[in-house]
Amino acid sequence: MMRNIIVFGASGNIGQQALQIIESNPNDFQITAVSIYHNISVLIKILEKHRTIRIVHLGDETQQAILTAQYPNITFVTGETGINAMLAAFPTALVLNAISGFAGLYPTLQTLYGKNRTLLLANKESLVVAGDLINNLLVENNNQLYPIDSEHCAIFQCLDQTNPCSEIILTASGGVFANKTLADLKTIDEQQALQHPTWKMGQNITIDSSTMVNKGFEIIEAYHLFKISKITVILHPQAILHSAVQYADSSIIGQLSKPSMLQVLNYFLYYPIRKNSSFLKPLNFEKLITLTFQKADLSRWKALQLAYRCLNENNSLAIAFNAANETLRSIFLSGIIKFYQIVDYIEYFMNQIKPQKLVNYREIKELNDIIKRDIINYFSEK
């Protein structure tokens, strides 16, 4: 059965991998709407391949008139009203949100304000800053949410509906600096921070993986997705075990596969059917290297400490965690602070926040914007 799909963030890393799967299965999916930020050259390629697209959301308003003239059969929209229009036009379409950062929150919430929708969520920041609100909308509107994230996809596959799990074991490669001391981190520059030993990812998430902020976000994400607070992070450099679940009888069930987001996308695009794909390759146990595991040292990875704090506080702290990270990562890339200072400054700005529960998009965005402005002002005055 052909299924319509909306892709937010179609020009990014996850969006492009999703298009690979969709294009290789033309009888299963048709794209009806996409959003891109400013990569017009990639958009044009998408439009040439997918003639079923009827609405395009643009991050750059200056391109709207030009593209409308070039593609008169497609409606080009911008801003929040444009996102609303996309979702209203295709109320039964599957939605993939592959926008990175806080910008992905609005499409997530607007999707879930609809009824009987299925959302494939690659934007983990949505759950970090608005997990309770998202869970309420899932229940109220009979929606489904599936996480496009290798660890949370693994946990999802390991859960047993008849036996509640006692602990989530969240794996982390440790990034390129896993074996470096805190003193070593003081010498890290931008070029080194943008290398990842296992995954091919965008610039922002690569840096977040190196600081372990990304893993901190995944702790909060897992907490909201699976309603479990006992979450242990295990360093596993080979990234073959994507995460695991422990049960009351001390049995541990894990999911293993080659590290590939195509595996995650393929799994949830076809869920509950497991569909073969030419993109996916099995593990070769004749060549498989030794798998190693080590519990993450919280004194070494302060970002994990900050994430665990967020589980016991109102969401203003998690909003500060994300807003500070986004701003300080940019400040690092501008050469104003050192790599090792990113997480220390995140902690500093989190400590300035008054605990409070923010219950809608406007409240969350207002605090997010205030924190980002305050951080920029802080460094402009130094």
Side-chain angles (χ1 to χ4, degrees):
M1 178 176 127
M2 180 73 74
R3 191 162 192 190
N4 291 340
I5 184 167
I6 298 169
V7 180
F8 289 106
S11 60
N13 184 281
I14 298 296
Q16 286 290 290
Q17 291 186 71
L19 293 184
Q20 280 185 266
I21 296 173
I22 291 166
E23 288 162 8
S24 67
N25 296 278
N27 295 323
D28 296 337
F29 302 100
Q30 65 175 15
I31 302 177
T32 55
V34 297
S35 82
I36 62 117
Y37 183 45
H38 56 67
N39 199 330
I40 300 301
S41 61
V42 172
L43 172 63
I44 290 172
K45 292 177 183 177
I46 293 171
L47 295 179
E48 295 302 319
K49 286 184 178 179
H50 299 276
R51 304 287 180 160
T52 56
I53 293 174
R54 291 291 168 261
I55 302 179
V56 174
H57 185 278
L58 301 169
D60 184 356
E61 295 182 5
T62 64
Q63 296 293 322
Q64 188 173 12
I66 299 169
L67 288 167
T68 298
Q70 191 173 351
Y71 298 94
N73 295 325
I74 298 174
T75 301
F76 292 89
V77 298
T78 60
E80 292 178 357
T81 57
I83 291 171
N84 298 346
M86 289 173 69
L87 293 167
F90 306 103
T92 62
L94 179 67
V95 178
L96 168 63
N97 184 359
I99 296 173
S100 63
F102 186 87
L105 176 61
Y106 188 82
T108 293
L109 294 180
Q110 290 307 116
T111 299
L112 298 179
Y113 278 120
K115 294 187 182 298
N116 304 309
R117 300 211 78 140
T118 299
L119 172 63
L120 307 186
L121 185 62
N123 178 262
K124 65 189 63 178
E125 291 86 353
S126 292
L127 282 161
V128 169
V129 303
D132 288 342
L133 174 57
I134 286 169
N135 279 326
N136 289 340
L137 292 173
L138 289 172
V139 174
E140 290 172 10
N141 296 322
N142 195 36
N143 293 315
Q144 298 292 324
L145 185 156
Y146 300 120
I148 303 301
D149 196 312
S150 62
E151 294 83 358
H152 302 85
C153 177
I155 295 163
F156 182 92
Q157 294 179 65
C158 295
L159 290 175
D160 180 343
Q161 297 300 320
T162 60
N163 291 285
C165 76
S166 58
E167 181 180 5
I168 285 173
I169 299 167
L170 195 66
T171 56
S173 70
V176 71
F177 309 133
N179 297 317
K180 290 189 178 294
T181 66
L182 293 174
D184 291 337
L185 295 182
K186 294 188 177 183
T187 65
I188 300 302
D189 59 22
E190 176 185 340
Q191 185 176 2
Q192 292 170 293
L194 288 172
Q195 303 298 317
H196 194 281
T198 307
W199 297 91
K200 290 181 66 177
M201 306 180 292
Q203 173 179 271
N204 290 344
I205 194 170
T206 300
I207 292 175
D208 290 351
S209 294
S210 296
T211 60
M212 287 287 263
V213 167
N214 182 61
K215 197 56 53 179
F217 287 170
E218 289 176 0
I219 290 171
I220 302 170
E221 187 182 4
Y223 171 76
H224 288 296
L225 284 169
F226 307 116
K227 318 299 187 296
I228 296 166
S229 58
K230 190 174 183 183
I231 302 167
T232 300
V233 177
I234 300 296
L235 298 183
H236 170 50
Q238 298 81 21
I240 297 296
L241 175 69
H242 296 294
S243 275
V245 169
Q246 183 162 264
Y247 289 94
D249 62 355
S250 298
S251 296
I252 296 176
I253 298 176
Q255 185 263 329
L256 291 81
S257 62
K258 286 191 172 183
S260 170
M261 286 307 298
L262 289 167
Q263 180 104 29
V264 178
L265 285 159
N266 191 73
Y267 177 78
F268 280 126
L269 280 168
Y270 285 99
Y271 181 78
I273 297 167
R274 290 185 181 268
K275 188 175 187 300
N276 186 30
S277 170
S278 60
F279 296 115
L280 307 178
K281 305 300 179 185
L283 289 172
N284 184 341
F285 285 95
E286 292 181 359
K287 298 181 180 179
L288 191 64
I289 57 176
T290 301
L291 304 184
T292 60
F293 304 95
Q294 179 184 353
K295 187 174 181 179
D297 181 354
L298 297 187
S299 65
R300 167 68 173 77
W301 301 109
K302 185 183 288 186
L304 303 184
Q305 297 178 39
L306 299 179
Y308 286 121
R309 277 179 58 190
C310 291
L311 304 188
N312 300 311
E313 297 281 353
N314 288 323
N315 63 331
S316 59
L317 192 65
I319 294 166
F321 189 15
N322 180 69
N325 180 64
E326 288 189 5
T327 312
L328 291 162
R329 183 180 58 216
S330 177
I331 290 171
F332 160 68
L333 290 171
S334 299
I336 296 171
I337 63 174
K338 300 293 185 182
F339 174 81
Y340 77 93
Q341 294 177 298
I342 296 174
V343 177
D344 287 340
Y345 273 121
I346 290 173
E347 181 181 36
Y348 172 79
F349 289 107
M350 285 176 69
N351 288 340
Q352 313 306 309
I353 296 303
K354 179 178 71 174
Q356 55 183 317
K357 186 170 185 176
L358 306 176
V359 298
N360 59 52
Y361 176 74
R362 296 300 166 203
E363 290 180 356
I364 294 168
K365 186 177 187 302
E366 181 180 12
L367 180 58
N368 173 78
D369 293 349
I370 288 171
I371 293 166
K372 289 185 173 182
R373 185 185 66 234
D374 287 348
I375 295 173
I376 291 169
N377 290 341
Y378 176 89
F379 285 99
S380 66
E381 294 168 359
K382 292 195 75 170

